[in-house]
Amino acid sequence: MRTALAPDGPFGRFAERLLVLELPDLPADRLRTTVAFVCRRAQQVPGPLRLGVTTLAVGTGVAERFVDADRIVGFLRVTELPLVGELARMVRSLAFAFVWETWPDTSPTGAPGTVTA
């Protein structure tokens, strides 16, 4: 069953688009792995927070039907509106921590690096 917080749901689509903008050189396999991690963690947050994240994710999914998804991501990426702006910050913090913890040689743009000794 597909849920709003699944990688193929509105939250996963939002996370993927945001990460493509934030880490443009992140390889596709790492992007998929990172989005899956972010979605798993979003599903594990406590009930009230999960309700808020789910509500925002469903809202982005509905808005995608009327407005270009990239415009929605662009707005949420820079907004300082209370609660609404937290969605991008949550995705960013989970994803960045995962990327640099899993692949420490990753460049600031997401490109795989090589470890030098």
Side-chain angles (χ1 to χ4, degrees):
M1 180 178 172
R2 191 172 109 179
T3 68
L5 300 180
D8 63 343
F11 182 76
R13 290 191 306 269
F14 172 79
E16 183 175 354
R17 285 189 189 98
L18 178 66
L19 293 176
V20 165
L21 292 172
E22 299 281 332
L23 301 171
D25 298 328
L26 191 67
D29 60 328
R30 290 184 179 188
L31 177 63
R32 282 190 304 277
T33 302
T34 304
V35 169
F37 170 80
V38 169
C39 290
R40 271 193 320 274
R41 296 297 295 169
Q43 293 169 3
Q44 295 171 348
V45 298
L49 182 56
R50 187 173 50 247
L51 177 63
V53 172
T54 302
T55 301
L56 288 171
V58 168
T60 63
V62 170
E64 284 178 3
R65 297 179 189 271
F66 303 103
V67 180
D68 180 51
D70 290 333
R71 290 185 69 193
I72 295 166
V73 172
F75 170 75
L76 292 175
R77 183 179 178 208
V78 299
T79 189
E80 293 184 20
L81 288 174
L83 302 176
V84 175
E86 297 304 318
L87 189 64
R89 286 188 278 282
M90 183 181 102
V91 169
R92 216 180 266 126
S93 65
L94 288 170
F96 288 4
F98 178 78
V99 166
W100 277 282
E101 189 68 27
T102 306
W103 306 288
D105 61 338
T106 303
S107 78
T109 62
T114 55
V115 177
T116 56

